[in-house]
Amino acid sequence: MSTVCAQCQVELRQRDVRLRYLGVEFTVGLPACPVCGQVYISEEVAHGRMREVEEMLESK
Ligand SMILES: [Zn+2]
């Protein structure tokens, strides 16, 4: 199962992407297009990381 960019029709590569949520920056490995740079974020992954950030903030 390989995912391709909807625009470029090239295979996506895993890339470290910096996200910001609730003022906290974190890095997630996400599939991204090597040509146009479009990041294909999986909702599951995004929600998982956001929950981690929320828990991190609560424990402060
Ligand atoms: Zn692309």
Side-chain angles (χ1 to χ4, degrees):
M1 181 189 98
S2 67
T3 320
V4 297
C5 176
Q7 272 185 41
C8 315
Q9 303 298 316
V10 295
E11 205 169 319
L12 303 179
R13 303 247 179 88
Q14 193 86 353
R15 198 181 96 188
D16 279 348
V17 179
R18 213 161 242 259
L19 298 177
R20 183 181 276 270
Y21 178 64
L22 296 177
V24 179
E25 269 195 22
F26 54 98
T27 307
V28 197
L30 293 172
C33 174
V35 177
C36 69
Q38 172 72 49
V39 174
Y40 289 82
I41 189 166
S42 136
E43 225 170 275
E44 205 172 305
V45 170
H47 285 170
R49 292 309 301 248
M50 284 173 183
R51 185 158 301 174
E52 278 178 33
V53 171
E54 282 165 8
E55 283 169 5
M56 201 172 77
L57 290 176
E58 277 168 16
S59 65
K60 255 186 193 168

Coordinates of all heavy atoms in Angstrom, one line a residue:
M1 N 0.9 -1.2 0.0 CA 0.0 0.0 0.0 C 0.9 1.2 0.0 O 1.6 1.5 0.9 CB -0.9 0.0 1.3 CG -1.8 1.2 1.3 SD -2.7 1.3 2.9 CE -1.7 2.5 3.8
S2 N 0.9 2.0 -1.1 CA 1.7 3.2 -1.1 C 0.7 4.4 -1.4 O -0.2 4.3 -2.2 CB 2.8 3.1 -2.2 OG 2.2 3.1 -3.5
T3 N 1.1 5.5 -0.8 CA 0.3 6.7 -1.0 C 1.0 7.6 -2.0 O 2.2 7.8 -1.9 CB 0.1 7.4 0.3 OG1 -0.2 6.4 1.3 CG2 -1.1 8.3 0.3
V4 N 0.3 8.2 -2.8 CA 0.9 9.2 -3.8 C 0.3 10.5 -3.6 O -0.9 10.7 -3.2 CB 0.7 8.7 -5.2 CG1 1.5 7.4 -5.5 CG2 -0.7 8.6 -5.6
C5 N 1.0 11.6 -4.0 CA 0.5 12.9 -3.9 C -0.6 13.1 -4.9 O -0.5 12.7 -6.1 CB 1.7 13.9 -4.2 SG 1.1 15.6 -4.2
A6 N -1.7 13.7 -4.5 CA -2.8 13.9 -5.4 C -2.5 14.8 -6.5 O -3.1 14.7 -7.6 CB -4.0 14.5 -4.6
Q7 N -1.6 15.7 -6.3 CA -1.2 16.7 -7.4 C -0.1 16.1 -8.3 O -0.2 16.2 -9.5 CB -0.6 18.0 -6.7 CG -1.7 19.0 -6.4 CD -1.1 20.3 -5.9 OE1 -0.1 20.7 -6.4 NE2 -1.7 20.8 -4.8
C8 N 0.9 15.6 -7.7 CA 2.1 15.2 -8.5 C 2.2 13.8 -8.9 O 3.0 13.4 -9.7 CB 3.4 15.6 -7.7 SG 3.3 17.2 -6.9
Q9 N 1.4 12.9 -8.3 CA 1.4 11.5 -8.5 C 2.7 10.9 -8.3 O 3.1 9.9 -9.0 CB 0.9 11.2 -10.0 CG -0.4 11.8 -10.4 CD -1.6 11.2 -9.5 OE1 -1.6 10.0 -9.3 NE2 -2.5 12.0 -9.1
V10 N 3.4 11.4 -7.3 CA 4.7 10.7 -6.9 C 4.5 10.1 -5.5 O 3.6 10.6 -4.7 CB 5.9 11.7 -6.9 CG1 6.2 12.2 -8.3 CG2 5.6 12.9 -6.0
E11 N 5.3 9.1 -5.2 CA 5.1 8.5 -3.9 C 5.6 9.4 -2.7 O 6.6 10.1 -2.8 CB 6.0 7.2 -3.9 CG 5.5 6.2 -2.9 CD 6.2 4.8 -3.1 OE1 6.3 4.4 -4.3 OE2 6.5 4.2 -2.1
L12 N 4.8 9.3 -1.7 CA 5.1 10.2 -0.5 C 6.3 9.6 0.3 O 6.5 8.4 0.3 CB 3.9 10.3 0.4 CG 2.6 10.8 -0.2 CD1 1.5 10.8 0.8 CD2 2.9 12.2 -0.8
R13 N 7.1 10.5 0.9 CA 8.2 10.1 1.7 C 7.9 10.6 3.1 O 7.4 11.6 3.3 CB 9.5 10.7 1.2 CG 9.8 10.4 -0.2 CD 11.1 9.5 -0.3 NE 11.4 9.2 -1.7 CZ 12.1 9.9 -2.5 NH1 12.6 11.0 -2.0 NH2 12.3 9.5 -3.7
Q14 N 8.4 9.7 4.1 CA 8.3 10.1 5.5 C 9.2 11.4 5.8 O 10.3 11.4 5.3 CB 8.7 9.0 6.4 CG 8.4 9.1 7.8 CD 7.0 8.7 8.1 OE1 6.2 8.3 7.2 NE2 6.6 8.7 9.4
R15 N 8.6 12.3 6.4 CA 9.4 13.6 6.7 C 9.0 14.1 8.1 O 7.9 13.9 8.5 CB 9.0 14.6 5.7 CG 10.0 15.7 5.5 CD 9.5 16.7 4.5 NE 8.8 17.8 5.1 CZ 8.1 18.8 4.4 NH1 8.1 18.7 3.1 NH2 7.5 19.7 5.1
D16 N 10.0 14.6 8.8 CA 9.7 15.2 10.1 C 9.1 16.6 9.9 O 9.6 17.5 9.2 CB 11.0 15.4 10.9 CG 11.4 14.1 11.5 OD1 10.6 13.2 11.6 OD2 12.5 14.0 12.0
V17 N 7.9 16.7 10.4 CA 7.1 18.0 10.2 C 6.9 18.6 11.6 O 6.6 17.9 12.6 CB 5.8 17.7 9.6 CG1 5.0 19.0 9.4 CG2 6.0 17.1 8.2
R18 N 7.1 19.9 11.7 CA 6.9 20.7 12.9 C 5.5 21.2 13.0 O 5.0 21.8 12.1 CB 7.9 21.8 12.9 CG 8.4 22.2 14.2 CD 9.7 23.0 14.0 NE 10.8 22.4 14.6 CZ 11.3 22.7 15.7 NH1 10.9 23.8 16.4 NH2 12.4 22.1 16.2
L19 N 4.8 20.8 14.0 CA 3.5 21.3 14.3 C 3.4 22.1 15.5 O 4.2 22.0 16.4 CB 2.5 20.1 14.4 CG 2.4 19.1 13.2 CD1 1.5 18.0 13.6 CD2 1.8 19.8 12.0
R20 N 2.4 23.0 15.6 CA 2.2 23.8 16.8 C 0.7 23.5 17.3 O -0.2 23.7 16.5 CB 2.4 25.2 16.5 CG 2.3 26.1 17.6 CD 2.5 27.6 17.2 NE 3.9 27.9 17.2 CZ 4.6 28.3 18.2 NH1 4.0 28.6 19.4 NH2 5.9 28.6 18.1
Y21 N 0.6 23.2 18.5 CA -0.7 23.0 19.1 C -0.7 23.5 20.5 O 0.2 23.2 21.3 CB -1.1 21.5 19.0 CG -2.4 21.2 19.7 CD1 -3.6 21.7 19.1 CD2 -2.5 20.4 20.8 CE1 -4.8 21.4 19.6 CE2 -3.8 20.1 21.3 CZ -4.9 20.6 20.8 OH -6.1 20.3 21.3
L22 N -1.7 24.3 20.9 CA -1.8 24.9 22.2 C -0.5 25.6 22.6 O 0.0 25.6 23.7 CB -2.1 23.9 23.3 CG -3.5 23.2 23.1 CD1 -3.6 22.1 24.2 CD2 -4.6 24.2 23.2
G23 N 0.2 26.2 21.6 CA 1.4 27.0 21.9 C 2.6 26.1 22.0 O 3.7 26.6 22.3
V24 N 2.5 24.8 21.8 CA 3.6 23.9 22.0 C 4.0 23.4 20.6 O 3.2 22.9 19.8 CB 3.3 22.7 22.9 CG1 4.4 21.7 23.0 CG2 2.8 23.2 24.3
E25 N 5.3 23.4 20.3 CA 5.8 22.9 19.1 C 6.3 21.5 19.2 O 7.0 21.2 20.2 CB 7.0 23.8 18.5 CG 6.5 24.9 17.7 CD 7.6 25.5 16.9 OE1 8.6 24.9 16.7 OE2 7.4 26.7 16.4
F26 N 5.9 20.6 18.3 CA 6.4 19.3 18.4 C 6.6 18.7 17.0 O 6.1 19.3 16.0 CB 5.5 18.4 19.2 CG 4.0 18.4 18.7 CD1 3.6 17.4 17.9 CD2 3.2 19.4 19.1 CE1 2.2 17.4 17.4 CE2 1.9 19.5 18.7 CZ 1.4 18.5 17.8
T27 N 7.4 17.7 16.9 CA 7.8 17.1 15.6 C 7.1 15.8 15.4 O 7.2 15.0 16.3 CB 9.3 17.0 15.4 OG1 9.9 18.3 15.7 CG2 9.7 16.6 14.0
V28 N 6.5 15.6 14.2 CA 5.9 14.3 13.9 C 6.4 13.8 12.6 O 6.6 14.6 11.6 CB 4.4 14.5 13.8 CG1 3.7 13.1 13.9 CG2 3.8 15.4 14.9
G29 N 6.7 12.5 12.5 CA 7.1 12.0 11.2 C 5.8 11.7 10.4 O 5.0 10.9 10.7
L30 N 5.7 12.4 9.3 CA 4.5 12.3 8.4 C 4.8 12.1 7.0 O 5.9 12.5 6.5 CB 3.7 13.6 8.5 CG 3.1 14.0 9.9 CD1 2.5 15.4 9.8 CD2 2.0 13.0 10.3
P31 N 3.9 11.4 6.3 CA 4.2 11.3 4.8 C 4.0 12.6 4.1 O 3.0 13.3 4.3 CB 3.1 10.3 4.4 CG 2.1 10.3 5.4 CD 2.7 10.8 6.7
A32 N 5.0 13.0 3.3 CA 5.0 14.3 2.6 C 5.4 14.1 1.2 O 6.2 13.2 0.9 CB 5.9 15.3 3.3
C33 N 5.0 14.9 0.3 CA 5.4 14.8 -1.1 C 6.7 15.5 -1.3 O 7.0 16.6 -0.9 CB 4.3 15.6 -2.0 SG 4.8 15.7 -3.7
P34 N 7.7 14.7 -1.9 CA 9.1 15.3 -2.1 C 9.1 16.3 -3.1 O 10.1 17.1 -3.2 CB 9.9 14.0 -2.4 CG 8.9 13.1 -3.0 CD 7.6 13.3 -2.4
V35 N 8.1 16.5 -3.9 CA 8.1 17.4 -5.0 C 7.5 18.8 -4.6 O 8.1 19.8 -4.7 CB 7.3 16.9 -6.3 CG1 7.3 17.9 -7.4 CG2 8.0 15.6 -6.8
C36 N 6.2 18.7 -4.2 CA 5.5 20.0 -3.8 C 5.6 20.3 -2.3 O 5.2 21.4 -1.9 CB 4.1 20.0 -4.4 SG 3.0 18.9 -3.5
G37 N 6.0 19.3 -1.5 CA 6.1 19.6 -0.1 C 4.8 19.4 0.7 O 4.7 19.7 1.9
Q38 N 3.7 19.0 0.0 CA 2.4 18.9 0.7 C 2.5 17.7 1.7 O 3.0 16.7 1.4 CB 1.4 18.5 -0.4 CG 0.0 18.1 0.2 CD -0.8 19.3 0.8 OE1 -0.9 20.4 0.2 NE2 -1.2 19.1 2.0
V39 N 2.1 18.0 2.9 CA 2.1 17.0 4.0 C 0.8 16.4 4.1 O -0.3 17.0 4.1 CB 2.5 17.7 5.3 CG1 2.4 16.7 6.5 CG2 3.9 18.3 5.2
Y40 N 0.8 15.0 4.2 CA -0.5 14.3 4.3 C -0.6 13.8 5.7 O 0.0 12.8 6.1 CB -0.5 13.1 3.3 CG -0.7 13.7 1.9 CD1 0.4 14.1 1.2 CD2 -2.0 13.7 1.4 CE1 0.2 14.6 -0.1 CE2 -2.2 14.2 0.1 CZ -1.1 14.7 -0.6 OH -1.3 15.2 -1.9
I41 N -1.2 14.6 6.6 CA -1.3 14.3 8.0 C -2.4 13.3 8.2 O -3.6 13.5 7.7 CB -1.5 15.6 8.8 CG1 -1.4 15.3 10.3 CG2 -2.8 16.3 8.5 CD1 -1.2 16.5 11.1
S42 N -2.1 12.3 9.0 CA -3.1 11.3 9.3 C -3.8 11.8 10.6 O -3.2 12.2 11.5 CB -2.5 9.9 9.6 OG -3.0 9.4 10.8
E43 N -5.1 11.9 10.5 CA -5.9 12.4 11.6 C -5.6 11.7 12.9 O -5.5 12.2 14.0 CB -7.4 12.3 11.3 CG -8.1 13.6 11.7 CD -9.6 13.5 11.1 OE1 -9.8 13.9 10.0 OE2 -10.4 13.1 11.9
E44 N -5.4 10.4 12.8 CA -5.1 9.5 14.0 C -3.8 10.0 14.6 O -3.7 10.1 15.8 CB -5.0 8.1 13.5 CG -5.3 7.1 14.6 CD -5.4 5.7 13.9 OE1 -6.1 5.5 13.0 OE2 -4.6 4.8 14.4
V45 N -2.8 10.2 13.8 CA -1.5 10.6 14.3 C -1.6 12.0 14.9 O -1.1 12.2 16.0 CB -0.4 10.6 13.2 CG1 0.8 11.3 13.7 CG2 -0.2 9.2 12.7
A46 N -2.3 12.9 14.3 CA -2.4 14.2 14.8 C -3.1 14.3 16.1 O -2.6 14.9 17.0 CB -3.1 15.1 13.7
H47 N -4.2 13.5 16.2 CA -4.9 13.5 17.5 C -4.1 12.9 18.6 O -4.1 13.4 19.7 CB -6.2 12.8 17.3 CG -7.3 13.6 16.5 ND1 -8.4 13.1 16.1 CD2 -7.2 14.9 16.1 CE1 -9.1 14.0 15.4 NE2 -8.4 15.1 15.5
G48 N -3.3 11.9 18.3 CA -2.5 11.2 19.3 C -1.5 12.2 19.8 O -1.3 12.3 21.0
R49 N -0.8 12.9 18.9 CA 0.2 13.9 19.4 C -0.4 15.0 20.2 O 0.1 15.5 21.1 CB 1.0 14.4 18.2 CG 1.8 13.4 17.5 CD 2.7 12.7 18.5 NE 3.6 13.5 19.2 CZ 4.9 13.6 19.1 NH1 5.5 12.8 18.3 NH2 5.6 14.4 19.8
M50 N -1.6 15.5 19.7 CA -2.3 16.6 20.4 C -2.7 16.2 21.8 O -2.6 16.9 22.8 CB -3.5 17.0 19.6 CG -3.2 17.8 18.4 SD -4.6 18.2 17.4 CE -3.8 19.1 16.0
R51 N -3.1 14.9 22.0 CA -3.4 14.4 23.3 C -2.2 14.4 24.2 O -2.2 14.8 25.4 CB -4.0 13.0 23.2 CG -4.5 12.5 24.5 CD -5.5 11.4 24.3 NE -6.7 11.8 23.6 CZ -7.6 11.0 23.2 NH1 -7.6 9.7 23.5 NH2 -8.6 11.5 22.5
E52 N -1.0 14.0 23.6 CA 0.2 14.0 24.4 C 0.5 15.4 24.9 O 1.0 15.6 26.0 CB 1.4 13.5 23.5 CG 1.5 12.0 23.4 CD 2.6 11.6 22.5 OE1 3.6 12.3 22.4 OE2 2.4 10.5 21.8
V53 N 0.3 16.4 24.0 CA 0.6 17.8 24.3 C -0.3 18.2 25.5 O 0.1 18.9 26.4 CB 0.5 18.7 23.1 CG1 0.6 20.2 23.5 CG2 1.6 18.4 22.1
E54 N -1.6 17.9 25.4 CA -2.5 18.3 26.4 C -2.1 17.7 27.7 O -2.2 18.3 28.8 CB -3.9 17.8 26.0 CG -4.6 18.6 25.0 CD -5.8 17.9 24.3 OE1 -6.2 16.9 24.8 OE2 -6.3 18.5 23.3
E55 N -1.7 16.4 27.7 CA -1.3 15.7 29.0 C -0.1 16.4 29.5 O 0.1 16.6 30.7 CB -1.1 14.3 28.7 CG -2.4 13.5 28.6 CD -2.2 12.1 28.1 OE1 -1.0 11.6 28.0 OE2 -3.2 11.4 27.9
M56 N 0.8 16.8 28.6 CA 2.1 17.4 29.1 C 1.8 18.7 29.7 O 2.4 19.1 30.8 CB 3.0 17.6 27.8 CG 4.4 17.8 28.1 SD 5.3 17.8 26.5 CE 4.9 19.5 26.0
L57 N 0.8 19.5 29.2 CA 0.5 20.8 29.7 C -0.2 20.6 31.1 O 0.0 21.4 32.0 CB -0.4 21.6 28.8 CG 0.3 22.0 27.5 CD1 -0.8 22.7 26.6 CD2 1.4 23.0 27.8
E58 N -1.0 19.6 31.2 CA -1.8 19.4 32.4 C -0.9 19.0 33.6 O -1.1 19.4 34.7 CB -2.8 18.3 32.2 CG -4.1 18.8 31.6 CD -5.0 17.7 31.1 OE1 -4.8 16.5 31.6 OE2 -5.9 17.9 30.3
S59 N 0.2 18.3 33.3 CA 1.1 17.8 34.4 C 2.1 18.9 34.8 O 2.9 18.7 35.7 CB 1.8 16.6 33.9 OG 2.7 16.9 32.8
K60 N 2.0 20.1 34.2 CA 2.9 21.1 34.6 C 2.6 21.7 36.0 O 1.4 21.9 36.3 CB 2.9 22.3 33.5 CG 4.1 22.2 32.7 CD 4.2 23.4 31.7 CE 5.2 23.1 30.6 NZ 5.1 24.1 29.5
Ligands
ZN1 ZN 3.1 16.8 -4.7

